[in-house]
Amino acid sequence: MPLLRLQPHLFASLPAHSSLTANEARPQLQSFAGDALHEALEFLHTIPSTFTTDPKLRASPPSEAKVKLLRKWRDPSTNNTVDKAPGAEFWVCRQSEHVNANTQGTASWEEFENGLRSNHAENEMDYTPSVTSVEQLMQWSRSDIGNIETQGVAFKDVDMEINLITHTFHPGALIAPRSFISLTISAAYDNTQAPTHENAQSRPLKGFITAQIPLRSTASSTPPGLHQKIVASVPKRAIFASYASVEHVTLLPPTGENNLSLIEWTMATTSDAGGSIPQWVQRNWTMGGVPRAVVADVGLFLGWTMRRRSS
């Protein structure tokens, strides 16, 4: 089964870590991270040909960029696009292009990198109103993971950590908090030192990918101390939910008369809020479901970035 899927993985499937019970059957750390990045790249490559694009571009103020929204149903075992069917995952994707500048309505490459790659979960709590708690459960050493090359991309600065993330909604009496256990793997690449080649104008100068993989803690698969910490850290009435996501941010070469470079931001996610919220509500734009939420995230991030810039 793939790593990048909605069905949560157990802690027993993770590479060795001091917080986990020693197990010779655990995957090797670099191979595990490499498999996740390989899957993320494969998934990103399928977006243009397998997702259905909404005809209407969406606004997400204060971002000046319009947001393209895409959707598909996926068979998680094959990554093939399928019709709506039992077991199929509903994926939502958004894409936007932003001028690389620290001006009103947009952000520079450094601001995107500092906001979306560094301290990913903690920053998300700062700019997303519903995220009320982020607790890091585990982190692997960047030096232990090392550099990874897959599908012709040389990744460096590979980070891997597990966070317990809680969202709180209003009215609280009607909607219980949702807690997610998320394994986050993030890595960067840099083509600025690469030899010039024939398609250099369409090749990103640099970029980073962040994959988030859902986990589930059970008393039988998680060390007792870690499982008790997770249970004790979630609010009363909280429901454990799950999501998987892939995020890709790239800096494109300068083009046009003004020689401006663009930042392309792609994010795709599948989720299940659990509880009694019907799936059709979670998928519905009008009802405030995932498609509306992922578009709103663009404006939330840009607004937060501009506030940080002016403070």
Side-chain angles (χ1 to χ4, degrees):
M1 291 294 290
L3 291 171
L4 193 65
R5 69 184 198 203
L6 180 56
Q7 181 183 348
H9 297 264
L10 296 175
F11 277 76
S13 67
L14 296 173
H17 187 277
S18 58
S19 297
L20 300 175
T21 305
N23 183 344
E24 292 182 357
R26 292 190 181 278
Q28 194 269 340
L29 176 58
Q30 187 181 56
S31 297
F32 183 91
D35 287 346
L37 292 170
H38 182 89
E39 282 187 29
L41 279 173
E42 279 196 332
F43 187 90
L44 289 163
H45 291 158
T46 68
I47 289 175
S49 60
T50 64
F51 276 72
T52 300
T53 304
D54 280 13
K56 180 181 179 181
L57 292 176
R58 310 285 179 167
S60 188
S63 171
E64 290 184 349
K66 297 292 186 180
V67 182
K68 180 166 67 173
L69 196 60
L70 310 92
R71 314 159 192 249
K72 84 166 182 177
W73 288 90
R74 181 185 85 143
D75 180 344
S77 64
T78 63
N79 198 27
N80 291 335
T81 302
V82 296
D83 293 330
K84 179 181 176 182
E89 300 169 344
F90 178 70
W91 281 81
V92 176
C93 174
R94 59 165 165 79
Q95 296 180 318
S96 52
E97 289 189 344
H98 307 263
V99 175
N100 176 24
N102 58 349
T103 56
Q104 186 70 19
T106 190
S108 67
W109 172 255
E110 291 75 17
E111 289 173 321
F112 268 92
E113 194 169 33
N114 290 336
L116 294 178
R117 170 150 159 73
S118 305
N119 302 314
H120 184 277
E122 292 81 0
N123 287 343
E124 188 176 25
M125 182 168 64
D126 281 347
Y127 65 78
T128 307
S130 66
V131 179
T132 51
S133 174
V134 172
E135 181 170 356
Q136 187 180 93
L137 300 174
M138 293 166 53
Q139 184 178 40
W140 283 262
S141 168
R142 182 181 285 185
S143 60
D144 287 344
I145 301 172
N147 296 335
I148 293 172
E149 184 165 350
T150 181
Q151 297 193 45
V153 179
F155 287 107
K156 61 179 183 178
D157 300 336
V158 184
D159 294 318
M160 182 163 143
E161 64 183 34
I162 298 174
N163 294 300
L164 175 62
I165 304 169
T166 297
H167 290 246
T168 303
F169 306 95
H170 301 286
L174 297 179
I175 308 175
R178 261 50 179 189
S179 291
F180 303 82
I181 307 174
S182 177
L183 169 64
T184 301
I185 301 172
S186 182
Y189 60 89
D190 189 342
N191 295 325
T192 55
Q193 304 302 318
T196 304
H197 55 89
E198 58 186 15
N199 65 339
Q201 285 303 310
S202 61
R203 186 185 190 190
L205 294 174
K206 57 180 68 177
F208 59 88
I209 287 179
T210 300
Q212 293 187 277
I213 297 166
L215 298 176
R216 179 167 62 95
S217 178
T218 66
S220 59
S221 68
T222 310
L226 182 58
H227 181 66
Q228 290 167 9
K229 179 180 179 180
I230 291 170
V231 173
S233 298
V234 299
K236 292 181 179 180
R237 299 177 52 246
I239 294 171
F240 280 99
S242 60
Y243 72 92
S245 70
V246 179
E247 190 166 40
H248 190 200
V249 184
T250 61
L251 176 63
L252 304 178
T255 58
E257 295 179 359
N258 54 17
N259 207 36
L260 288 175
S261 59
L262 293 177
I263 296 165
E264 184 179 73
W265 184 10
T266 298
M267 198 282 294
T269 186
T270 182
S271 62
D272 182 2
S276 59
I277 302 177
Q279 283 288 332
W280 71 267
V281 172
Q282 299 179 45
R283 299 191 298 265
N284 189 278
W285 171 276
T286 305
M287 300 296 290
V290 175
R292 184 183 288 272
V294 299
V295 170
D297 282 346
V298 175
L300 289 172
F301 172 75
L302 266 297
W304 172 76
T305 299
M306 289 185 287
R307 291 191 299 274
R308 286 213 303 177
R309 184 192 303 155
S310 61
S311 63

